């Protein structure tokens, strides 16, 4: 909320015909908002922010799916293919998630910009009034500028994450692939008497009771 107020205070300044900024600093904004509008004002737009959780629910599963699909269909070297799949998957998943969930950011910002005049009584009222004044497209105001910030940010974040995770896994494994037969899908070899007899070897050298036990 404080960030929104500081970023948009020039609009309030022009509307009021004043020259002096409404908030001189971040601490001044905290003090004035708490004193003039009450402590609960800091939670304006909270419900709209909670709707933003759907953004993560869309982006992360879509990212993993796209990354796997891109790696399968690319014919480059292993490292190049992995990097390209991360870049393409992170950018595209962010684009899709932002397109679907961006309206919650518009509603949240409008509710936070409401400086004590109670222009919106709640989340539903903010949505209704936004559509009524700006049309349905009003829910996507600032969408292009948002993509210019979030898509490159997503690509850098996921690329760094994938690089760090691969380095960490390599350090934890000592830089050597696992030599476990189970990990390679192979059945471990048995070097006991029973495995020897299963291959058709004679059991005549064993005592009679032992041979009978092995057959049963």
């Amino acid at each position: 909320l404080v960030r929104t107020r500081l970023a948009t205070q020039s609009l309030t300044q022009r509307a009021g015909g004043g020259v002096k900024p409404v908030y001189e600093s971040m601490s001044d904004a905290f003090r004035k908002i708490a004193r003039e509008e009450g402590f609960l004002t800091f939670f304006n737009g909270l419900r709209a922010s909670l709707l933003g959780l759907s953004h993560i629910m869309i982006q992360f599963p879509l990212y993993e799916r796209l990354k796997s699909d891109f790696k399968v269909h690319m014919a480059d070297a292993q490292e190049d293919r992995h990097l390209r799949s991360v870049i393409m998957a992170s950018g595209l998943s962010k684009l899709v998630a932002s397109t679907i969930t961006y309206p919650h950011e518009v509603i949240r910002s409008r509710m936070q910009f409401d400086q004590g005049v109670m222009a919106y009584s709640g989340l539903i009222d903010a949505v209704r009034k936004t559509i009524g004044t700006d049309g349905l497209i009003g829910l996507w105001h600032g969408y292009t500028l948002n993509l210019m910030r979030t898509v490159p940010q997503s690509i850098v974040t996921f690329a760094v994450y994938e690089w760090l995770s691969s380095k960490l896994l390599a350090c934890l494994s000592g830089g050597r692939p696992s030599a476990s037969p189970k990990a390679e899908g192979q059945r471990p070899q048995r070097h006991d008497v029973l495995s020897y007899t299963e291959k058709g070897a004679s059991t005549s050298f064993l005592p009679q009771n032992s041979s009978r036990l092995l057959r049963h």
Side-chain angles (χ1 to χ4, degrees), residues 134-150:
D134 301 327
L136 188 63
I137 197 65
L139 296 176
W140 278 270
H141 278 175
Y143 168 73
T144 304
L145 289 176
N146 180 71
L147 290 182
M148 293 175 63
R149 176 181 64 87
T150 58

Side-chain angles (χ1 to χ4, degrees), residues 4 7 10-11 17-18 20 35 44 51 53 69 75 77 94 111 130 139 142 151 155 169 189 208 211:
T4 301
S10 60
L11 300 177
K20 185 179 180 180
R35 183 177 64 251
N44 281 356
L51 293 177
L53 295 175
D69 290 345
K94 188 68 175 181
M111 295 180 70
T130 299
L139 296 176
V151 172
I155 293 174
L169 289 175
Q189 298 293 329
Q208 184 175 2
S211 301

Side-chain angles (χ1 to χ4, degrees), residues 194 197 208-216:
L194 184 58
T197 58
Q208 184 175 2
N209 293 338
S210 300
S211 301
R212 188 179 297 111
L213 289 172
L214 288 173
R215 285 194 295 271
H216 293 283

Side-chain angles (χ1 to χ4, degrees), residues 50-63 97 101:
L50 293 177
L51 293 177
L53 295 175
S54 60
H55 185 103
I56 300 175
M57 296 170 61
I58 295 172
Q59 182 184 4
F60 277 72
L62 183 60
Y63 165 75
T101 64

Side-chain angles (χ1 to χ4, degrees), residues 154-165:
S154 177
I155 293 174
V156 172
T157 299
F158 278 100
V160 172
Y161 164 76
E162 294 286 353
W163 179 78
L164 289 176
S165 62

Side-chain angles (χ1 to χ4, degrees), residues 37 58 61 73 100 104 112 128 179:
E37 304 176 43
I58 295 172
H73 292 90
I100 297 174
H104 91 274
Q112 291 175 345
R128 187 178 68 251

